[in-house]
Amino acid sequence: MVFSSIEFLLYFLPIFILVYMIVPKRAKNGVLVIGSMIFYAYGDLRGLGLLAVSAVGNYMAARVIRRKSGLIAAVAVNIGVLILFKYYQGGAMLPLGISFYTFQAVSYLVDVYRREVPAERKIVDFAAYIMMFPKLVMGPITSYKDMRRQLRCRSCNAESLQEGLKLFILGLCAKVLLADRLALLWQEVQVTGFESISTPLAWIAAVAYSLRLYFDFAGYSLMALGMGRMLGYALPENFRQPYMAMSVREFYRRWHMSLGNWFCKYVYIPLGGSRRGESRTVCNLLAVWLLTSLWHGITGNFFIWGMGICLLIIMERQVGKLWKGKAPAICHLYLWAVIPVTWMCFAITDLGQLGIYLSRMFAIGETVAAHAGDWRAALTDYGLLLAVGLAASTPLARRLYEKLEKRWFGMLLLAAAFWFCVHRIMLEGENPFMYRNF
């Protein structure tokens, strides 16, 4: 079930919230588990059994782990199952959300072994942590340490419901009104053929894809945070205006933050982090970004994307001290120049087509009758949307929201925006979130 679908918006979510709010506190986690299983079964009935086995198996494993060999065996089973489904037959049998709930299970097992948290005794509470539907399919990835207290005691009232609903609507608008509309420009370029587009259009389309990916995933994350707040949970922030960063390194500290934190805590730091000299640090960064590439897919484009990001970060480590605190405008321009190029390596899985697209971006080689004025038509059709997207990726959108959210006019705007999104979905149908395939 997709958050931006009529079934979810008008049926599942209102009914679930109503039931959740009226049951006593001691029953809320049970209701959350049942609701999450219904939510998951609607989208992937075959994967529901695996999800249940993962929850029960990791609950039991954490109770009996005493030695490092036991931890290694339990983690190996989790990662092995993930690899099997993710890469067997090109991921055709990939269960929804398996990467996200597997990473949560692994973090839980490691933290219990390190004695950072005690093993959960109530299986319903642990199942609620693993299966919680707002974050089940695409995160954010949460540690049990951060969720443990909330699983037992949380505030769920009219104020949290209202606050969560506001965040949910903002995320829905980001998905339906920005990401889904920007996707049309990228689709048009694909239909036209990369050989036939001009260099300006190649850059415009790359920026459009960059914004589309951001608003698609950030929109989902905002919706997840909003629903978590409705249920009384404070889920972690997953995006912090990454396009306002001044380096690629900073960009990925602001982008998909829960995944970055997971790799940092459970891969980068155990390998030694940056404590053992520059050469070892470079090796550790390469290991992390290689694993990040493999997490996204095994096709060559993801390897190029991951290694390209890693090399940029390594380069920035060498020259960053010279630029730190200086020429912020140049740093922003540098980021906006390199990030769209890296996203093309992410988006285009066929290496031949990727080579053609990059050659169009940098006007390299012979092309098939590129239309010199195609970029003007694109700006005519999508220029306003691109401008709104660029503005919404800055602090301007947050400041505007903070000024309006508590006023009656702002509440009216949010209500109108929600129903306009519903109207658009009814007209055009639902569009799955891009990261659900990972």
Side-chain angles (χ1 to χ4, degrees):
M1 195 181 300
V2 179
F3 290 171
S4 57
S5 66
I6 297 301
E7 294 83 0
F8 183 84
L9 294 172
L10 301 186
Y11 300 101
F12 177 84
L13 186 60
I15 293 172
F16 175 82
I17 292 295
L18 178 62
V19 174
Y20 184 85
M21 294 293 286
I22 63 177
V23 298
K25 288 184 177 181
R26 64 180 181 275
K28 289 189 186 299
N29 282 348
V31 170
L32 178 55
V33 171
I34 294 171
S36 297
M37 293 178 72
I38 294 171
F39 168 85
Y40 191 91
Y42 188 91
D44 185 8
L45 182 59
R46 293 178 302 176
L48 180 60
L50 181 64
L51 173 61
V53 168
S54 177
V56 174
N58 285 293
Y59 166 80
M60 296 175 63
R63 299 291 302 276
V64 300
I65 286 177
R66 297 293 181 271
R67 298 181 179 179
K68 191 173 184 178
S69 58
L71 172 66
I72 292 173
V75 170
V77 169
N78 277 281
I79 299 300
V81 171
L82 173 61
I83 291 173
L84 175 65
F85 281 98
K86 198 170 183 67
Y87 303 122
Y88 178 68
Q89 293 184 346
M93 303 292 290
L94 184 68
L96 282 175
I98 186 172
S99 295
F100 294 92
Y101 68 72
T102 297
F103 276 23
Q104 289 192 145
V106 168
S107 71
Y108 169 71
L109 294 172
V110 173
D111 290 350
V112 169
Y113 174 77
R114 292 174 175 173
R115 300 185 184 278
E116 294 183 11
V117 294
E120 176 57 61
R121 294 184 175 276
K122 295 182 179 180
I123 191 169
V124 173
D125 289 356
F126 181 72
Y129 162 66
I130 292 291
M131 296 183 177
M132 189 183 302
F133 73 86
K135 64 182 181 62
L136 176 58
V137 177
M138 286 170 46
I141 300 169
T142 56
S143 70
Y144 179 74
K145 183 178 181 180
D146 293 335
M147 299 295 293
R148 180 170 178 261
R149 184 180 296 275
Q150 299 181 67
L151 287 164
R152 288 168 168 75
C153 181
R154 56 189 179 275
S155 175
C156 183
N157 49 39
E159 183 181 353
S160 65
L161 184 64
Q162 183 185 56
E163 182 183 342
L165 187 58
K166 291 176 185 177
L167 292 175
F168 181 87
I169 293 173
L170 288 177
L172 182 66
C173 290
K175 165 64 176 171
V176 175
L177 303 183
L178 288 175
D180 290 351
R181 305 305 298 170
L182 287 165
L184 298 177
L185 175 54
W186 179 246
Q187 291 169 7
E188 288 180 10
V189 168
Q190 289 178 303
V191 170
T192 300
F194 299 154
E195 302 92 341
S196 303
I197 62 174
S198 66
T199 294
L201 180 57
W203 278 97
I204 291 170
V207 171
Y209 180 87
S210 302
L211 291 173
R212 179 235 180 150
L213 182 62
Y214 170 63
F215 288 114
D216 188 278
F217 199 7
Y220 175 96
S221 297
L222 262 180
M223 295 167 82
L225 262 63
M227 285 185 287
R229 194 71 192 93
M230 291 183 211
L231 305 181
Y233 290 94
L235 298 179
E237 186 180 12
N238 217 10
F239 289 86
R240 192 171 292 157
Q241 297 171 347
Y243 287 107
M244 295 306 295
M246 292 193 289
S247 68
V248 174
R249 183 183 183 187
E250 184 188 355
F251 180 90
Y252 279 100
R253 286 180 174 176
R254 296 169 173 240
W255 178 281
H256 202 349
M257 294 160 61
S258 62
L259 180 65
N261 292 337
W262 192 95
F263 273 112
C264 181
K265 182 176 180 179
Y266 300 105
V267 179
Y268 182 68
I269 292 177
L271 288 175
S274 57
R275 304 186 304 273
R276 300 183 181 179
E278 189 63 22
S279 297
R280 183 62 180 269
T281 299
V282 168
C283 291
N284 294 341
L285 286 170
L286 285 169
V288 167
W289 279 98
L290 177 60
L291 291 174
T292 304
S293 304
L294 292 173
W295 182 78
H296 284 89
I298 56 174
T299 52
N301 68 299
F302 289 118
F303 177 79
I304 294 171
W305 167 75
M307 291 301 98
I309 294 295
C310 185
L311 290 175
L312 286 169
I313 291 174
I314 292 170
M315 179 195 72
E316 289 172 359
R317 286 180 62 86
Q318 306 307 315
V319 301
K321 293 180 181 179
L322 300 175
W323 287 95
K324 189 174 182 180
K326 301 176 182 178
I330 295 176
C331 293
H332 283 305
L333 288 174
Y334 153 74
L335 182 80
W336 272 98
V338 299
I339 288 297
V341 177
T342 63
W343 281 138
M344 292 301 93
C345 299
F346 183 92
I348 305 171
T349 56
D350 183 280
L351 294 184
Q353 290 296 305
L354 175 58
I356 292 171
Y357 197 93
L358 294 178
S359 71
R360 295 309 307 128
M361 290 187 78
F362 296 100
I364 300 172
E366 298 290 332
T367 62
V368 178
H371 299 289
D374 54 4
W375 62 273
R376 295 189 184 90
L379 286 181
T380 299
D381 294 336
Y382 298 99
L384 179 60
L385 186 62
L386 286 166
V388 172
L390 289 169
S393 65
T394 71
L396 179 64
R398 181 183 290 272
R399 291 170 186 167
L400 183 61
Y401 169 72
E402 290 173 350
K403 286 184 177 181
L404 295 176
E405 65 161 325
K406 296 188 182 299
R407 300 180 181 181
W408 69 267
F409 181 67
M411 300 287 285
L412 186 63
L413 279 178
L414 283 172
F418 173 82
W419 288 110
F420 183 67
C421 288
V422 170
H423 172 68
R424 298 303 306 179
I425 295 168
M426 285 181 169
L427 286 179
E428 301 174 0
E430 65 187 61
N431 287 305
F433 290 92
M434 299 172 69
Y435 254 77
R436 72 186 304 216
N437 296 322
F438 301 117

